[in-house]
Amino acid sequence: MKFIKRLLIFSLICIALGASTIFGFYLYVKPELPDVATLRDVKLQTPMQVFSKDGKLIAQFGEKRRIPLRLDDMPKELLEAIVATEDSRFYDHFGFDPIGITRAAFAVIASGSASQGASTITQQLARNFFLSNEKKIMRKVKEIFIAIHIEQLLTKDEILELYLNKIYLGYRSYGVGAAAQSYFGKEVKNLTLGEIALIAGLPKAPSTMNPIYSLERATNRRNVVLARMLAEKYITQAQYDTARAEVLPTNYHGAEIELNAPYVAEIARAWMVERYGEDAYTSGMNIYTTVDSKRQQAANLAAIHNLIAYDERHGYRGAEKELWTSNQSAWREEQIVEHLKKEPTYGELSPAVVLSTEAKSATVWVKNQGEFTIDWNNMNWARRFITDDRQGPVPSSTKDILKAGEQVWVRRTSQDKADTPIWQLSQVPNANTAFVAMDPENGAIEALVGGFNFVHNKFNRATQSVRQVGSSIKPFIYSAALDKGLTLATLINDAPINQWDESQGTAWRPKNSPPTYTGPTRVRIGLAQSKNVMAVRVLREVGLEDTRQYLTRFGFDLDQLPKSETIALGAGSLTPVKMAQGYSVFANGGYYVEPYYIQKVESPYGDIEFEAEPTIVCRQNCPKADGFDTQGAEHHYAKQVISEQTAFLVREMMYSNIWGGGNWAEKTGWNGTGWRAQALKRRDIGGKTGTTNDSKDAWYNGYAPGVVAIAWVGFDEHSRNLGKTIPNPNIEDDVAGAEAGAKTAQPAWIEFMGQALEGVPEQERALPNNIVRVRIDRDTGLLTNKQDATSMFEYFLKGTEPKEYIQENVSGDIYSTTSGDELF
């Protein structure tokens, strides 16, 4: 009894000493313990992601990769695997596990080393949020006390959810959501049992037990996890055997960019940083842009294909580098592969090395692709570039173009029946491009291309490049004239202008291009065929200052509009986005809408942080005051800046820019400068070409149902013009001659519209109120009773239609010889 009594006393003393020691430790470290209440509002460092409006991933910004998930979104097998492996008594202990600590202590005594861990999931969470990984007793003590505090604050499920979203799992992946993407390219809910087991085994050593670093170690660790799940009766023997047999992948799955729109992504990134500061990068917020994935893809292809076509017809500038000469030994395959790894890829363009040449073909090694043959039809465009205006002789064999040892650029054109890529010789364009597509009803930018390639050059020409607009400005000049009383049938003298300029001491002689003149010509034809001298005379009808003020209705800055009559020929400078903004007024019936790019911003868990409130076009039951300058701000209604009737009449002129007019069979037919878009076979489209002096800038601007699109091509060097080409018989459908809006920019617009309008039904022409249609004489614009080829129907604002009839002896057709294939 004495022994038992002494043992009890000793035990009580030990317990008291132990408790006192623990309490003493607690008092000692208490001032250093963090406030675990912050876990209630913890914000995990999660990359910011940018999406199209239809949910396609455009970009991801941030060092740490994390996809926050709620516990309900994680498969039950994953939770069981983590608990079985990391903390089988997780739901029984109160932050630390005395049994686990005792077991680990005995293991240390038995083996002489720490072969078993004793940290619970709660302790690991405490360490991840508040402590370092240093192996010191005091850190372990703090870890236990923090874990106890966490257990008092949070439920077990809340702790497990935080842990599974916070823990590092290798390859910049934090949390099980990011790990599932990095190692398997899947969402967590789609993982197999074997894949779940692999992820559950990563916390032990994420950098060395992942399958990319070591497949053997990852497989062994996966099997340990499966054995623990089997021991804990979470899975059956059959499930265990099936999961053990799964083959693990060994490749890394980066953030899967689903839509190429880097210039839009950069706009979104800058907007987020300006609004939320540098914390935006780790906020985990999802930015949904206004971009439509289908139209963005169409814009990408159209703009770049058109730019490359322009560049290639001007000639081949030679190899990028010469790696070895004919007098030197050819590089080994390993040398070539290693060299190409360091070379950039620009979208469709990949670097390649010429291995050998034959009379009509060349063998090349393409970066990340291997060895391929380029046949003659895919390189024979490459006559030598001399200047922007001159090209060398047409090549007759491969030796005129390539030689072994050269590093060149190639692009994939298609695949043959065996799905083998077909490569074509190419080059990085010297010129550049921009393309914008906008919804005219609310200003949403649905597609934007800011240049040839974002990696090559990050300057956004769609939003930042202020370029002369050329004849693209003419619809706005003509719109002002219509509001002054001119009609589509008004005759304007298409004749040379010779005006002395005292300030310059020279005569100003604006000319048509080509320099042909047809005398008195109807306004519709003047705009459709881009008659320069007619535009100047139309400007004079309105007045220079009145015209400048009128143009501000479209959102154009007054200080960017010249204070001279050269404004009628496009001497002013605007960005492509500004042009889209202006042309949208005509497309939507006269309303000014501002472009916008960000539709909404969501938190990592789907809460709305920001939602755009764009100005929208409202045509019925909208509270508006009289006039065109009132905006219902509380409803975000777009203000009407020109009448619906004026917008309709301008669209009619732009319609004729594509479809012309008259009757070719009766020899009264004529084309506008945009006639190439007739290939779209749609009667609900219209547009306007634009070319500046010396062809430094080429534009095409136009509308279709629900979309306005702007295409621009030019050199970043403002002094360099787009030049001209001579015919190349090696190129099918080669377009030679001087570069201009219709030839250089419009093909991109046509290709885009062909894709963007797929499935969009053609719309009938809707007449606004107070628009009348009367029969006029083609030559004079006066009323006529004739119903032959000398007459046509024309639209007028009610009250402005002609009142006089043509005299019977007036005849003649002054339009039958116009070609319509002008530059401007």
Side-chain angles (χ1 to χ4, degrees):
M1 290 297 293
K2 287 183 179 181
F3 174 76
I4 294 173
K5 183 178 180 180
R6 289 173 181 172
L7 182 61
L8 288 173
I9 292 171
F10 178 75
S11 299
L12 290 172
I13 291 171
C14 288
I15 291 170
L17 286 173
S20 299
T21 302
I22 293 172
F23 185 68
F25 268 125
Y26 178 71
L27 291 178
Y28 179 75
V29 301
K30 183 179 179 182
E32 300 176 26
L33 295 181
D35 181 7
V36 297
T38 57
L39 291 177
R40 283 284 186 196
D41 303 310
V42 69
K43 292 185 177 179
L44 298 172
Q45 291 187 354
T46 306
M48 176 176 70
Q49 293 186 312
V50 182
F51 296 89
S52 65
K53 70 177 182 182
D54 47 343
K56 302 291 186 183
L57 181 62
I58 294 174
Q60 178 171 288
F61 298 96
E63 285 296 317
K64 294 182 178 180
R65 189 175 184 188
R66 183 182 274 116
I67 304 171
L69 299 170
R70 299 196 186 277
L71 206 64
D72 292 342
D73 298 327
M74 303 179 195
K76 179 171 66 73
E77 293 83 0
L78 176 60
L79 308 183
E80 292 170 344
I82 288 289
V83 169
T85 308
E86 294 296 316
D87 188 359
S88 62
R89 287 171 35 79
F90 172 68
Y91 284 100
D92 299 323
H93 62 65
F94 44 85
F96 73 99
D97 186 3
I99 296 175
I101 292 174
T102 303
R103 185 174 59 246
F106 277 116
V108 171
I109 293 170
S111 65
S113 62
S115 58
Q116 288 188 18
S119 291
T120 64
I121 285 175
T122 314
Q123 286 176 257
Q124 292 182 54
L125 183 68
R127 183 168 65 248
N128 272 291
F129 271 103
F130 302 114
L131 301 171
S132 67
N133 286 321
E134 60 179 352
K135 295 183 178 180
K136 292 184 179 180
I137 294 294
M138 195 53 65
R139 194 271 296 165
K140 196 70 175 178
V141 170
K142 291 179 183 178
E143 181 183 292
I144 291 173
F145 287 134
I146 294 171
I148 294 171
H149 282 189
I150 290 173
E151 292 272 351
Q152 293 170 346
L153 178 72
L154 303 176
T155 67
K156 289 289 187 180
D157 282 352
E158 288 173 332
I159 292 169
L160 188 57
E161 181 178 293
L162 267 177
Y163 173 80
L164 292 173
N165 281 310
K166 173 70 175 177
I167 194 167
Y168 176 61
L169 296 173
Y171 279 88
R172 294 174 53 233
S173 300
Y174 292 79
V176 294
Q181 285 289 341
S182 295
Y183 298 115
F184 306 109
K186 295 180 179 180
E187 294 184 34
V188 169
K189 63 183 180 182
N190 297 324
L191 295 175
T192 66
L193 179 58
E195 292 165 346
I196 284 172
L198 181 137
I199 289 176
L202 289 173
K204 182 177 178 64
S207 297
T208 58
M209 286 188 172
N210 67 73
I212 300 173
Y213 180 85
S214 172
L215 180 60
E216 181 182 357
R217 295 189 68 182
T219 302
N220 292 338
R221 181 62 178 164
R222 187 269 315 269
N223 294 341
V224 169
V225 174
L226 290 171
R228 288 292 304 136
M229 294 182 74
L230 182 63
E232 294 290 330
K233 296 184 170 51
Y234 288 133
I235 59 174
T236 64
Q237 184 67 45
Q239 288 175 306
Y240 171 82
D241 293 337
T242 300
R244 268 189 66 106
E246 287 184 26
V247 178
L248 296 178
T250 57
N251 56 309
Y252 175 72
H253 299 265
E256 189 175 346
I257 303 302
E258 300 171 285
L259 179 63
N260 180 32
Y263 292 96
V264 177
E266 174 58 20
I267 290 171
R269 183 205 65 80
W271 183 87
M272 286 292 291
V273 171
E274 182 180 357
R275 187 179 180 89
Y276 297 101
E278 294 295 319
D279 290 343
Y281 293 118
T282 56
S283 65
M285 285 192 275
N286 296 323
I287 303 96
Y288 288 86
T289 65
T290 56
V291 166
D292 176 270
S293 61
K294 176 184 176 182
R295 291 187 170 177
Q296 180 65 44
Q297 289 169 341
N300 290 342
L301 293 174
I304 303 311
H305 287 170
N306 179 61
L307 181 64
I308 290 175
Y310 160 82
D311 189 70
E312 290 181 355
R313 65 175 170 261
H314 280 261
Y316 182 55
R317 293 183 294 277
E320 185 77 9
K321 297 175 183 176
E322 189 171 32
L323 305 183
W324 70 84
T325 66
S326 57
N327 298 325
Q328 298 172 317
S329 298
W331 282 17
R332 299 187 311 276
E333 180 181 309
E334 304 83 55
Q335 287 178 282
I336 294 172
V337 170
E338 193 61 32
H339 172 77
L340 289 177
K341 278 183 182 178
K342 302 172 187 175
E343 296 299 308
T345 298
Y346 297 134
E348 292 188 2
L349 296 190
S350 296
V353 175
V354 181
L355 303 178
S356 62
T357 62
E358 301 294 336
K360 296 287 185 178
S361 66
T363 302
V364 298
W365 188 280
V366 183
K367 177 182 178 180
N368 297 331
Q369 298 293 324
E371 185 176 309
F372 292 91
T373 297
I374 300 179
D375 62 30
W376 180 243
N377 290 333
N378 286 317
M379 71 170 83
N380 62 3
W381 62 268
R383 55 186 176 177
R384 186 165 57 92
F385 172 87
I386 300 175
T387 69
D388 293 319
D389 294 318
R390 294 179 58 212
Q391 300 81 46
V394 176
S396 57
S397 68
T398 305
K399 69 178 182 180
D400 297 331
I401 305 169
L402 299 172
K403 60 182 179 181
E406 292 183 330
Q407 180 187 319
V408 297
W409 294 98
V410 296
R411 60 186 176 96
R412 185 180 297 189
T413 59
S414 60
Q415 293 182 325
D416 61 19
K417 293 180 180 178
D419 291 331
T420 302
I422 296 175
W423 296 89
Q424 175 173 317
L425 178 67
S426 193
Q427 61 190 357
V428 176
N430 271 349
N432 230 299
T433 190
F435 196 96
V436 178
M438 175 173 157
D439 184 341
E441 296 296 309
N442 59 20
I445 298 298
E446 296 190 322
L448 184 144
V449 177
F452 161 64
N453 184 270
F454 188 75
V455 175
H456 184 256
N457 190 311
K458 294 176 173 55
F459 181 66
N460 190 338
R461 292 151 192 85
T463 61
Q464 297 173 298
S465 188
V466 181
R467 304 295 298 223
Q468 282 199 348
V469 297
S471 294
S472 303
I473 202 70
K474 288 177 182 175
F476 306 99
I477 306 291
Y478 278 75
S479 178
L482 293 175
D483 277 357
K484 280 284 188 177
L486 269 67
T487 73
L488 302 192
T490 300
L491 295 181
I492 301 293
N493 193 17
D494 179 28
I497 294 175
N498 191 340
Q499 177 179 316
W500 181 257
D501 186 339
E502 290 186 8
S503 64
Q504 298 292 325
T506 60
W508 185 46
R509 299 186 179 94
K511 296 179 180 179
N512 289 341
S513 179
T516 57
Y517 304 89
T518 54
T521 304
R522 285 179 285 118
V523 161
R524 179 189 281 267
I525 297 175
L527 179 64
Q529 293 192 335
S530 203
K531 301 278 191 175
N532 287 339
V533 295
M534 286 183 67
V536 174
R537 288 191 167 96
V538 167
L539 171 70
R540 290 174 177 176
E541 291 285 335
V542 181
L544 175 59
E545 195 53 37
D546 285 350
T547 298
R548 293 180 71 243
Q549 292 295 332
Y550 186 90
L551 265 56
T552 62
R553 298 185 185 191
F554 302 89
F556 302 155
D557 298 328
L558 194 62
D559 59 2
Q560 291 183 330
L561 302 173
K563 296 180 181 179
S564 71
E565 290 183 340
T566 57
I567 190 175
L569 307 182
S573 297
L574 298 166
T575 65
V577 166
K578 278 286 187 183
M579 292 300 290
Q581 172 185 291
Y583 273 81
S584 288
V585 175
F586 300 130
N588 65 29
Y591 297 86
Y592 171 74
V593 291
E594 290 190 1
Y596 74 106
Y597 306 87
I598 310 299
Q599 185 182 62
K600 64 179 178 179
V601 177
E602 289 184 355
S603 73
Y605 294 110
D607 300 321
I608 301 296
E609 298 285 338
F610 165 85
E611 192 159 18
E613 296 178 342
T615 53
I616 61 173
V617 174
C618 181
R619 298 181 178 85
Q620 293 181 343
N621 303 320
C622 309
K624 296 179 182 177
D626 294 335
F628 298 141
D629 58 352
T630 300
Q631 180 178 3
E634 68 276 20
H635 298 287
H636 304 286
Y637 291 147
K639 61 183 178 182
Q640 192 170 9
V641 293
I642 64 173
S643 71
E644 185 182 3
Q645 293 76 22
T646 297
F648 171 82
L649 295 173
V650 175
R651 287 200 305 274
E652 276 298 299
M653 291 187 282
M654 291 196 287
Y655 166 86
S656 292
N657 180 259
I658 292 175
W659 286 103
N663 186 319
W664 293 98
E666 299 290 342
K667 298 185 178 180
T668 61
W670 55 274
N671 270 328
T673 58
W675 60 267
R676 290 173 176 84
Q678 293 175 17
L680 293 171
K681 295 182 170 60
R682 294 186 67 114
R683 293 278 180 169
D684 55 358
I685 58 176
K688 182 67 187 73
T689 49
T691 312
T692 60
N693 284 342
D694 300 321
S695 296
K696 287 183 170 61
D697 298 272
W699 299 78
Y700 197 77
N701 323 268
Y703 67 88
V707 63
V708 163
I710 309 295
W712 169 85
V713 177
F715 286 96
D716 288 336
E717 306 166 47
H718 285 250
S719 61
R720 189 170 175 182
N721 63 48
L722 289 164
K724 59 187 178 183
T725 60
I726 57 175
N728 184 346
N730 284 349
I731 299 179
E732 187 178 351
D733 300 324
D734 181 41
V735 182
E739 300 290 346
K743 173 184 174 182
T744 314
Q746 193 187 24
W749 190 91
I750 294 170
E751 184 178 343
F752 168 81
M753 285 297 185
Q755 294 294 317
L757 298 179
E758 201 171 70
V760 178
E762 189 168 335
Q763 293 185 2
E764 293 291 331
R765 185 183 281 124
L767 298 187
N769 293 333
N770 294 323
I771 289 291
V772 296
R773 185 168 176 258
V774 301
R775 186 179 288 277
I776 64 169
D777 176 69
R778 290 183 182 276
D779 292 345
T780 65
L782 298 177
L783 295 174
T784 181
N785 289 318
K786 294 182 178 180
Q787 298 186 24
D788 56 15
T790 66
S791 68
M792 61 172 283
F793 282 105
E794 187 56 279
Y795 296 100
F796 297 88
L797 176 64
K798 189 174 182 179
T800 66
E801 65 272 23
K803 304 298 189 293
E804 299 179 16
Y805 280 83
I806 185 175
Q807 298 178 12
E808 292 185 5
N809 61 348
V810 177
S811 62
D813 181 8
I814 63 174
Y815 309 119
S816 59
T817 59
T818 57
S819 69
D821 193 11
E822 279 82 9
L823 297 182
F824 290 88

